[in-house]
Amino acid sequence: MGLKVFFNGKLMNREMATVSIFDHGLLYGDGAFEGIRSYSRRVFRLKEHMDRLFASASAIRLDIGMTKKELSDAVLLTLKANKLDDSYIRVVATRGPGDLGLDPRKCRKATVFIITDKIKLYPEELYENGMPIIISKTRRNHPLCIDPRIKSLNYLNNILAKIEATSAGTEEALMLSVEGYVVECTGDNIFLVKGGRLITPPGELGALEGITQDAVIEIAKKRKIKVERKAMRPGELFKADECFLTGTAAEIIPVVKIDKKRIGSGKPGPVTRMLRQDFHALTKRTGAKY
Ligand code: PXG
């Protein structure tokens, strides 16, 4: 049996779910999405992902045409139909089919779909030994142009940085703000560990407000580890004891080199390791069941 997807209100075989070439999601990247994960038949932070998706949609004046409850139920239904215990879930809402002009008012109905599939992860070796990253020359979108807190279908800014990363033989690239502050990576938020504290850039600098980032902040507070939201120049990275990235796909991954320069001991550190253990425990004991 092939993969079932949820497409405009119904479950169907993936081959049957086709989007119009007039869809503004395709023509203009006009839409919003979420990447979510489930662990052992529990969806991690489904409510937070739905809240963020609806906030992204609202920021671009997109009517998803379903309530949060309806869309959450559709996610659970799709997971059940595919009998997936652990899954990567993509929820997408586009402006829908329109004409060749930019005007979203010409698009009568949003296209909404959910794909639940197996997860592809970074190689285990990178979690054990740490990951090298680069600092990309492409700066993160300025919040006055496109607010990076909107998780829109327009990811070219991040894709350009990802191309730089892979050309340099690394998996991720750190993106700075136009003003030169550390912001985030192409699909992950960044943390430093320094003197036993966590430091991560404030949302106002123009990073996506990561749901994994938020979970890590919560875990740290439970562990009585102080968390600072601070604007940092790249130079600060090299004074850190540890560095790691957080994201739905990556979870928590140690970073040991930036632009070929070593961070801390050059090996994954004890704070990163402890947070990873706590995070895994959290994914097992919380989340909407299906
Ligand atoms: N920043 C950006 C720009 C992102 O796209 C994160 C941070 C981390 O946020 P969460 O809420 O996931 O902790 C993301 C995550 C993927 C993939 O498959 C990940 C994301 C988007 C597209 C693909 O790795 N977003």
mmCIF file of all heavy atoms in Angstrom, residues 33 35 49 52 88 90 140 151 155 158 184-189 208-213 246-249, ligand 1:
data_model
loop_
_atom_site.group_PDB
_atom_site.id
_atom_site.type_symbol
_atom_site.label_atom_id
_atom_site.label_comp_id
_atom_site.label_asym_id
_atom_site.label_seq_id
_atom_site.Cartn_x
_atom_site.Cartn_y
_atom_site.Cartn_z
ATOM 1 N N PHE A 33 4.035 27.020 5.858
ATOM 2 C CA PHE A 33 4.140 25.580 6.141
ATOM 3 C C PHE A 33 4.691 25.326 7.533
ATOM 4 O O PHE A 33 5.175 26.236 8.200
ATOM 5 C CB PHE A 33 4.985 24.884 5.076
ATOM 6 C CG PHE A 33 6.482 25.051 5.233
ATOM 7 C CD1 PHE A 33 7.252 24.027 5.776
ATOM 8 C CD2 PHE A 33 7.128 26.214 4.849
ATOM 9 C CE1 PHE A 33 8.627 24.165 5.922
ATOM 10 C CE2 PHE A 33 8.499 26.370 4.984
ATOM 11 C CZ PHE A 33 9.248 25.334 5.521
ATOM 12 N N GLY A 35 6.993 22.029 9.609
ATOM 13 C CA GLY A 35 7.628 20.705 9.669
ATOM 14 C C GLY A 35 7.494 20.225 11.100
ATOM 15 O O GLY A 35 7.922 20.915 12.019
ATOM 16 N N HIS A 49 2.927 24.024 16.835
ATOM 17 C CA HIS A 49 3.098 24.097 15.379
ATOM 18 C C HIS A 49 1.854 24.678 14.715
ATOM 19 O O HIS A 49 1.969 25.460 13.759
ATOM 20 C CB HIS A 49 3.415 22.711 14.807
ATOM 21 C CG HIS A 49 4.845 22.294 15.024
ATOM 22 N ND1 HIS A 49 5.880 22.812 14.287
ATOM 23 C CD2 HIS A 49 5.400 21.424 15.892
ATOM 24 C CE1 HIS A 49 7.017 22.264 14.687
ATOM 25 N NE2 HIS A 49 6.755 21.415 15.676
ATOM 26 N N ARG A 52 1.830 28.385 15.289
ATOM 27 C CA ARG A 52 2.781 29.096 14.431
ATOM 28 C C ARG A 52 2.283 29.142 12.984
ATOM 29 O O ARG A 52 2.419 30.160 12.308
ATOM 30 C CB ARG A 52 4.172 28.445 14.522
ATOM 31 C CG ARG A 52 5.251 29.289 13.851
ATOM 32 C CD ARG A 52 6.652 28.790 14.156
ATOM 33 N NE ARG A 52 6.901 27.492 13.563
ATOM 34 C CZ ARG A 52 8.018 26.793 13.765
ATOM 35 N NH1 ARG A 52 8.976 27.282 14.550
ATOM 36 N NH2 ARG A 52 8.186 25.622 13.205
ATOM 37 N N TYR A 88 8.011 12.289 9.991
ATOM 38 C CA TYR A 88 8.202 13.700 9.686
ATOM 39 C C TYR A 88 6.933 14.159 8.990
ATOM 40 O O TYR A 88 6.466 13.509 8.062
ATOM 41 C CB TYR A 88 9.434 13.901 8.803
ATOM 42 C CG TYR A 88 9.771 15.359 8.615
ATOM 43 C CD1 TYR A 88 10.380 16.081 9.633
ATOM 44 C CD2 TYR A 88 9.454 16.015 7.434
ATOM 45 C CE1 TYR A 88 10.674 17.424 9.475
ATOM 46 C CE2 TYR A 88 9.750 17.363 7.276
ATOM 47 C CZ TYR A 88 10.357 18.057 8.297
ATOM 48 O OH TYR A 88 10.632 19.395 8.149
ATOM 49 N N ARG A 90 4.723 17.213 7.140
ATOM 50 C CA ARG A 90 4.757 18.515 6.481
ATOM 51 C C ARG A 90 3.328 18.994 6.287
ATOM 52 O O ARG A 90 2.526 18.293 5.673
ATOM 53 C CB ARG A 90 5.471 18.351 5.128
ATOM 54 C CG ARG A 90 5.638 19.591 4.292
ATOM 55 C CD ARG A 90 6.485 20.660 4.943
ATOM 56 N NE ARG A 90 7.809 20.266 5.360
ATOM 57 C CZ ARG A 90 8.906 20.412 4.624
ATOM 58 N NH1 ARG A 90 8.848 20.981 3.455
ATOM 59 N NH2 ARG A 90 10.073 20.023 5.084
ATOM 60 N N ARG A 140 20.556 36.818 6.386
ATOM 61 C CA ARG A 140 19.156 36.430 6.604
ATOM 62 C C ARG A 140 18.255 37.592 6.186
ATOM 63 O O ARG A 140 18.623 38.764 6.377
ATOM 64 C CB ARG A 140 18.955 36.106 8.101
ATOM 65 C CG ARG A 140 17.619 35.450 8.424
ATOM 66 C CD ARG A 140 17.584 34.009 7.999
ATOM 67 N NE ARG A 140 16.336 33.358 8.370
ATOM 68 C CZ ARG A 140 15.292 33.202 7.554
ATOM 69 N NH1 ARG A 140 15.337 33.643 6.312
ATOM 70 N NH2 ARG A 140 14.214 32.578 7.978
ATOM 71 N N LYS A 151 6.871 31.505 8.683
ATOM 72 C CA LYS A 151 7.434 30.306 8.055
ATOM 73 C C LYS A 151 6.754 30.141 6.701
ATOM 74 O O LYS A 151 5.792 29.389 6.536
ATOM 75 C CB LYS A 151 7.220 29.092 8.957
ATOM 76 C CG LYS A 151 8.178 27.961 8.646
ATOM 77 C CD LYS A 151 8.213 26.958 9.777
ATOM 78 C CE LYS A 151 8.858 25.661 9.368
ATOM 79 N NZ LYS A 151 10.254 25.765 8.969
ATOM 80 N N TYR A 155 11.578 30.108 0.592
ATOM 81 C CA TYR A 155 12.782 29.730 1.349
ATOM 82 C C TYR A 155 14.081 29.989 0.600
ATOM 83 O O TYR A 155 15.128 29.482 0.973
ATOM 84 C CB TYR A 155 12.684 28.256 1.780
ATOM 85 C CG TYR A 155 12.430 28.136 3.279
ATOM 86 C CD1 TYR A 155 11.285 28.688 3.836
ATOM 87 C CD2 TYR A 155 13.333 27.524 4.131
ATOM 88 C CE1 TYR A 155 11.052 28.626 5.192
ATOM 89 C CE2 TYR A 155 13.111 27.449 5.491
ATOM 90 C CZ TYR A 155 11.966 28.002 6.020
ATOM 91 O OH TYR A 155 11.739 27.943 7.369
ATOM 92 N N ASN A 158 17.197 31.003 2.535
ATOM 93 C CA ASN A 158 17.855 29.900 3.243
ATOM 94 C C ASN A 158 18.519 28.924 2.268
ATOM 95 O O ASN A 158 19.581 28.373 2.555
ATOM 96 C CB ASN A 158 16.829 29.134 4.075
ATOM 97 C CG ASN A 158 15.917 30.067 4.857
ATOM 98 O OD1 ASN A 158 15.265 30.932 4.274
ATOM 99 N ND2 ASN A 158 15.874 29.933 6.161
ATOM 100 N N GLU A 184 20.596 32.696 12.821
ATOM 101 C CA GLU A 184 20.179 31.285 12.841
ATOM 102 C C GLU A 184 20.803 30.583 11.640
ATOM 103 O O GLU A 184 21.417 31.229 10.798
ATOM 104 C CB GLU A 184 18.655 31.151 12.794
ATOM 105 C CG GLU A 184 18.035 31.704 11.520
ATOM 106 C CD GLU A 184 16.521 31.537 11.434
ATOM 107 O OE1 GLU A 184 15.959 30.679 12.130
ATOM 108 O OE2 GLU A 184 15.907 32.276 10.644
ATOM 109 N N CYS A 185 20.602 29.269 11.565
ATOM 110 C CA CYS A 185 21.076 28.528 10.400
ATOM 111 C C CYS A 185 19.923 28.385 9.404
ATOM 112 O O CYS A 185 18.850 28.929 9.612
ATOM 113 C CB CYS A 185 21.645 27.190 10.837
ATOM 114 S SG CYS A 185 23.161 27.385 11.796
ATOM 115 N N THR A 186 20.149 27.642 8.317
ATOM 116 C CA THR A 186 19.139 27.618 7.239
ATOM 117 C C THR A 186 17.853 26.930 7.675
ATOM 118 O O THR A 186 16.785 27.252 7.185
ATOM 119 C CB THR A 186 19.679 26.924 5.976
ATOM 120 O OG1 THR A 186 19.839 25.522 6.242
ATOM 121 C CG2 THR A 186 21.010 27.490 5.541
ATOM 122 N N GLY A 187 17.960 25.980 8.599
ATOM 123 C CA GLY A 187 16.756 25.301 9.090
ATOM 124 C C GLY A 187 16.852 24.961 10.561
ATOM 125 O O GLY A 187 16.165 24.057 11.041
ATOM 126 N N ASP A 188 17.705 25.677 11.274
ATOM 127 C CA ASP A 188 17.932 25.409 12.698
ATOM 128 C C ASP A 188 18.254 26.702 13.446
ATOM 129 O O ASP A 188 18.884 27.585 12.888
ATOM 130 C CB ASP A 188 19.146 24.477 12.894
ATOM 131 C CG ASP A 188 18.979 23.139 12.219
ATOM 132 O OD1 ASP A 188 18.001 22.458 12.508
ATOM 133 O OD2 ASP A 188 19.830 22.792 11.381
ATOM 134 N N ASN A 189 17.880 26.764 14.712
ATOM 135 C CA ASN A 189 18.315 27.859 15.584
ATOM 136 C C ASN A 189 19.665 27.503 16.195
ATOM 137 O O ASN A 189 20.072 26.340 16.188
ATOM 138 C CB ASN A 189 17.285 28.103 16.688
ATOM 139 C CG ASN A 189 15.970 28.624 16.132
ATOM 140 O OD1 ASN A 189 14.982 27.898 16.056
ATOM 141 N ND2 ASN A 189 15.944 29.878 15.737
ATOM 142 N N LEU A 208 13.514 32.594 12.961
ATOM 143 C CA LEU A 208 12.258 31.914 13.221
ATOM 144 C C LEU A 208 12.215 31.576 14.712
ATOM 145 O O LEU A 208 13.236 31.198 15.287
ATOM 146 C CB LEU A 208 12.176 30.624 12.401
ATOM 147 C CG LEU A 208 10.850 29.869 12.521
ATOM 148 C CD1 LEU A 208 9.758 30.557 11.713
ATOM 149 C CD2 LEU A 208 11.001 28.428 12.041
ATOM 150 N N GLU A 209 11.050 31.726 15.322
ATOM 151 C CA GLU A 209 10.936 31.335 16.730
ATOM 152 C C GLU A 209 10.755 29.835 16.777
ATOM 153 O O GLU A 209 9.662 29.305 16.575
ATOM 154 C CB GLU A 209 9.775 32.085 17.387
ATOM 155 C CG GLU A 209 10.155 33.538 17.587
ATOM 156 C CD GLU A 209 9.022 34.395 18.117
ATOM 157 O OE1 GLU A 209 7.847 34.093 17.847
ATOM 158 O OE2 GLU A 209 9.334 35.384 18.785
ATOM 159 N N GLY A 210 11.859 29.137 17.002
ATOM 160 C CA GLY A 210 11.886 27.680 16.875
ATOM 161 C C GLY A 210 11.162 26.990 18.014
ATOM 162 O O GLY A 210 11.291 27.388 19.176
ATOM 163 N N ILE A 211 10.438 25.957 17.656
ATOM 164 C CA ILE A 211 9.707 25.194 18.666
ATOM 165 C C ILE A 211 10.671 24.293 19.443
ATOM 166 O O ILE A 211 10.537 24.113 20.650
ATOM 167 C CB ILE A 211 8.538 24.449 17.982
ATOM 168 C CG1 ILE A 211 7.474 25.506 17.626
ATOM 169 C CG2 ILE A 211 7.959 23.346 18.866
ATOM 170 C CD1 ILE A 211 6.417 25.093 16.658
ATOM 171 N N THR A 212 11.700 23.803 18.776
ATOM 172 C CA THR A 212 12.740 23.032 19.469
ATOM 173 C C THR A 212 13.561 23.965 20.364
ATOM 174 O O THR A 212 13.911 23.612 21.496
ATOM 175 C CB THR A 212 13.668 22.333 18.451
ATOM 176 O OG1 THR A 212 12.875 21.827 17.382
ATOM 177 C CG2 THR A 212 14.457 21.219 19.084
ATOM 178 N N GLN A 213 13.834 25.154 19.855
ATOM 179 C CA GLN A 213 14.556 26.173 20.637
ATOM 180 C C GLN A 213 13.803 26.448 21.945
ATOM 181 O O GLN A 213 14.393 26.482 23.030
ATOM 182 C CB GLN A 213 14.636 27.457 19.799
ATOM 183 C CG GLN A 213 15.346 28.624 20.461
ATOM 184 C CD GLN A 213 15.265 29.895 19.616
ATOM 185 O OE1 GLN A 213 14.230 30.178 19.000
ATOM 186 N NE2 GLN A 213 16.352 30.645 19.565
ATOM 187 N N THR A 246 19.356 23.665 17.026
ATOM 188 C CA THR A 246 18.092 23.009 17.346
ATOM 189 C C THR A 246 17.119 23.171 16.182
ATOM 190 O O THR A 246 17.050 24.221 15.558
ATOM 191 C CB THR A 246 17.425 23.630 18.591
ATOM 192 O OG1 THR A 246 17.108 25.003 18.324
ATOM 193 C CG2 THR A 246 18.306 23.537 19.818
ATOM 194 N N GLY A 247 16.379 22.114 15.910
ATOM 195 C CA GLY A 247 15.356 22.161 14.869
ATOM 196 C C GLY A 247 14.558 20.877 14.893
ATOM 197 O O GLY A 247 15.030 19.868 15.441
ATOM 198 N N THR A 248 13.377 20.923 14.307
ATOM 199 C CA THR A 248 12.513 19.748 14.315
ATOM 200 C C THR A 248 13.211 18.542 13.688
ATOM 201 O O THR A 248 13.159 17.444 14.230
ATOM 202 C CB THR A 248 11.209 20.067 13.558
ATOM 203 O OG1 THR A 248 10.535 21.081 14.300
ATOM 204 C CG2 THR A 248 10.320 18.855 13.426
ATOM 205 N N ALA A 249 13.875 18.765 12.561
ATOM 206 C CA ALA A 249 14.539 17.647 11.881
ATOM 207 C C ALA A 249 15.824 17.249 12.613
ATOM 208 O O ALA A 249 16.059 16.074 12.877
ATOM 209 C CB ALA A 249 14.837 18.006 10.442
HETATM 210 N N1 PXG B 1 14.982 28.358 11.600
HETATM 211 C C1 PXG B 1 14.493 28.135 10.375
HETATM 212 C C2 PXG B 1 14.720 29.112 9.307
HETATM 213 C C3 PXG B 1 13.760 26.958 10.132
HETATM 214 O O1 PXG B 1 13.262 26.742 8.919
HETATM 215 C C4 PXG B 1 14.113 26.319 12.440
HETATM 216 C C5 PXG B 1 14.806 27.508 12.620
HETATM 217 C C6 PXG B 1 13.892 25.432 13.628
HETATM 218 O O2 PXG B 1 12.549 25.540 14.079
HETATM 219 P P1 PXG B 1 11.770 24.342 14.782
HETATM 220 O O3 PXG B 1 10.450 24.918 15.107
HETATM 221 O O4 PXG B 1 11.682 23.227 13.788
HETATM 222 O O5 PXG B 1 12.538 23.970 15.982
HETATM 223 C C7 PXG B 1 13.603 26.011 11.173
HETATM 224 C C8 PXG B 1 12.934 24.702 10.947
HETATM 225 C C9 PXG B 1 14.085 20.329 7.531
HETATM 226 C C10 PXG B 1 13.393 21.613 7.548
HETATM 227 O O6 PXG B 1 13.501 19.384 6.961
HETATM 228 C C11 PXG B 1 13.314 22.403 8.698
HETATM 229 C C12 PXG B 1 12.641 23.608 8.655
HETATM 230 C C13 PXG B 1 12.130 23.997 7.464
HETATM 231 C C14 PXG B 1 12.231 23.238 6.347
HETATM 232 C C15 PXG B 1 12.837 22.019 6.379
HETATM 233 O O7 PXG B 1 15.209 20.276 8.045
HETATM 234 N N2 PXG B 1 12.421 24.499 9.686
#
